[in-house]
Amino acid sequence: MNARTSLVLAAAAAAFAVAGCSSTDAPTTAGGATPGSATGTAAPVASGGSAAGTGCPASEATLLKAFRSSDVAKSLAPTDTLSDINCYEGYAIGLTHPRDVDNAHVVFHYTGGGWQAINGGTGDYCETGVPADVRSHLGC
């Protein structure tokens, strides 16, 4: 094999290797965590609906701020963290971790350019305000 053939083969192998690197094929979570695991960070998290105007991906910090300023927060125990955040088509869900009581889910809707907590609890939290075709994407 001459030097020219070797160079062509090396270039083809490099192009093939780079072409296989894509991060847009599947939802990912912050810090490389697998979907459904707590990351404990305020970095963007799992997102299935990342189209412009949907608010996805949503960060833990953003959703905690929306939760704390909502009426939903008045009916649930205070929490410092949200985990298992999933975002799809302008809706998001996260799991609270309050002290001394059970964890609860909080459902959010992105509307008017911001996130709003629309429901929460330990059951039936997606039944009101979340379209049926979105529920399965949120794990409801």
Side-chain angles (χ1 to χ4, degrees), residues 46-118:
S47 172
S50 59
T54 67
C56 296
S59 72
E60 179 188 27
T62 299
L63 295 179
L64 275 172
K65 183 177 179 182
F67 171 68
R68 290 178 178 142
S69 65
S70 72
D71 289 336
V72 174
K74 295 175 185 173
S75 64
L76 298 175
T79 187
D80 292 328
T81 61
L82 286 174
S83 68
D84 300 336
I85 298 170
N86 194 9
C87 189
Y88 182 79
E89 297 290 328
Y91 290 87
I93 191 167
L95 186 65
T96 67
H97 299 280
R99 294 183 183 110
D100 304 323
V101 295
D102 290 339
N103 296 343
H105 286 91
V106 180
V107 179
F108 301 87
H109 184 218
Y110 188 79
T111 183
W115 287 102
Q116 296 178 10
I118 59 172

Side-chain angles (χ1 to χ4, degrees), residues 1-14:
M1 182 180 321
N2 65 32
R4 186 176 182 181
T5 304
S6 296
L7 187 58
V8 169
L9 289 176

Side-chain angles (χ1 to χ4, degrees), residues 30-54:
T34 58
S37 67
T39 61
T41 67
V45 293
S47 172
S50 59
T54 67

